[in-house]
Amino acid sequence: MAPREVSCPETPSGEDWALAGYTRRDVVVVADRFAQFARGDRVLTLSGLLGLLDSGGLRASGCHWVVHFGQGIDATDGDLLEAACDKSEGTVRLADPDSFRRPPEHPVVVHKDRPENVLLAGVHSPLPTHCRAELRIHRDNELVLDHHTGEHVQGIVIIEAMRQICIAQFETAIRPGLPPAAYAGVWKRIDLSFEDFLFPLPATVESLIVESDLGRETNLKFRATTAVRQQGRTVATAGIEYSMIAQGRVDTLERRKADQATRAYLG
């Protein structure tokens, strides 16, 4: 991707670390996967920003650039940017250099097999009934590889993030108090409302368990409200009813119903 022309608005910086004679320019960097969102001069793709840093165009702009991380940027990308910023003679700075080093959750926490399909990082439960996490979309996530949406992130990512926060809440805040066992999530009902677009910028995912039935250790039932929020906006909310069922019981139930479905089809 060829470096683009860059300019700096006449907005004075109030930061003590701003370079003398420079104005501050805040930009967001996103993965090339989200290039449609990077059409303006406030959002740059990773390859576009690296090209500008390599060309020296940012140093010549009269700005002190502050780079914020959007979606799709991982630790490897962050290391490349950090090295490039070190060569910028102080004119380009990462707003939060540690953010890209915060890893996503381990796949087992959200019942996934591949790390790129994990959508959460920093899962935190101040109470067992309340769970919060950062939304973290990998550029090669299975849900964004083959989808045309324009500039926003498609709704199926929101739904999957809500599913993952429920599982992560169970695995990190509830299951440690139960006898050792593997569980599988079975979803009974979801009442979903989209209220705004989600863009490839930082966002959070939350789950609040409003009702639970833990009377049977092999079939734990929950009702939760979930939400995805971005910059103070509620993007989507959902009421979800689901069960966490012991894996052995799920396997037996699924096998029986699979046999029934096959007989019904073949006669």
Side-chain angles (χ1 to χ4, degrees):
M1 183 178 296
R4 67 172 76 172
E5 295 276 330
V6 295
S7 62
C8 191
E10 295 298 323
T11 52
S13 170
E15 298 288 341
D16 293 338
W17 44 259
L19 297 177
Y22 282 68
T23 52
R24 174 168 170 158
R25 179 65 160 167
D26 286 83
V27 297
V28 176
V29 59
V30 297
D32 288 16
R33 180 76 60 192
F34 303 111
Q36 286 181 283
F37 179 62
R39 293 187 302 118
D41 60 356
R42 302 299 304 277
V43 183
L44 303 171
T45 63
L46 176 65
S47 62
L49 179 56
L50 289 173
L52 286 169
L53 285 164
D54 186 60
S55 71
L58 298 186
R59 290 196 299 273
S61 67
C63 289
H64 186 171
W65 295 76
V66 183
V67 179
H68 303 259
F69 291 108
Q71 296 291 348
I73 303 298
D74 61 16
T76 300
D77 301 329
D79 288 339
L80 288 173
L81 284 169
E82 195 166 50
C85 288
D86 288 343
K87 299 176 182 178
S88 71
E89 301 177 359
T91 58
V92 183
R93 171 191 175 116
L94 301 180
D96 185 359
D98 292 327
S99 63
F100 66 85
R101 294 192 180 94
R102 291 194 286 268
E105 293 301 321
H106 193 281
V108 71
V109 174
V110 293
H111 294 189
K112 303 298 289 187
D113 292 324
R114 302 177 65 89
E116 63 268 27
N117 294 329
V118 177
L119 288 170
L120 305 179
V123 170
H124 173 62
S125 295
L127 296 170
T129 55
H130 183 204
C131 189
R132 186 178 185 272
E134 300 172 21
L135 179 69
R136 184 75 62 84
I137 306 174
H138 193 279
R139 60 180 172 273
D140 293 328
N141 183 281
E142 61 187 347
L143 300 177
V144 302
L145 284 176
D146 187 22
H147 198 95
H148 299 278
T149 62
E151 299 185 36
H152 71 281
V153 176
Q154 59 269 30
I156 192 65
V157 173
I158 294 173
I159 296 172
E160 173 62 11
M162 289 174 166
R163 189 191 73 87
Q164 289 190 18
I165 194 72
C166 291
I167 292 175
Q169 183 175 23
F170 172 77
E171 290 288 353
T172 62
I174 297 172
R175 195 166 78 91
L178 300 172
Y183 285 85
V186 177
W187 309 96
K188 305 288 188 179
R189 176 185 176 89
I190 180 167
D191 184 6
L192 176 67
S193 296
F194 291 105
E195 301 179 30
D196 210 335
F197 287 119
L198 176 69
F199 294 104
L201 298 168
T204 59
V205 189
E206 297 182 40
S207 172
L208 179 65
I209 295 175
V210 295
E211 186 177 346
S212 62
D213 180 357
L214 308 183
R216 298 173 61 190
E217 292 180 355
T218 59
N219 186 1
L220 310 172
K221 300 179 180 180
F222 302 92
R223 183 166 62 88
T225 58
T226 61
V228 174
R229 296 188 173 90
Q230 188 169 67
Q231 280 78 58
R233 297 177 298 111
T234 298
V235 173
T237 58
I240 303 176
E241 295 179 18
Y242 61 100
S243 295
M244 302 302 297
I245 302 178
Q247 188 66 58
R249 180 175 178 180
V250 170
D251 291 343
T252 300
L253 176 65
E254 193 172 36
R255 181 69 269 163
R256 184 172 72 248
K257 289 186 174 294
D259 289 342
Q260 291 172 352
T262 300
R263 288 194 299 270
Y265 176 68
L266 294 177

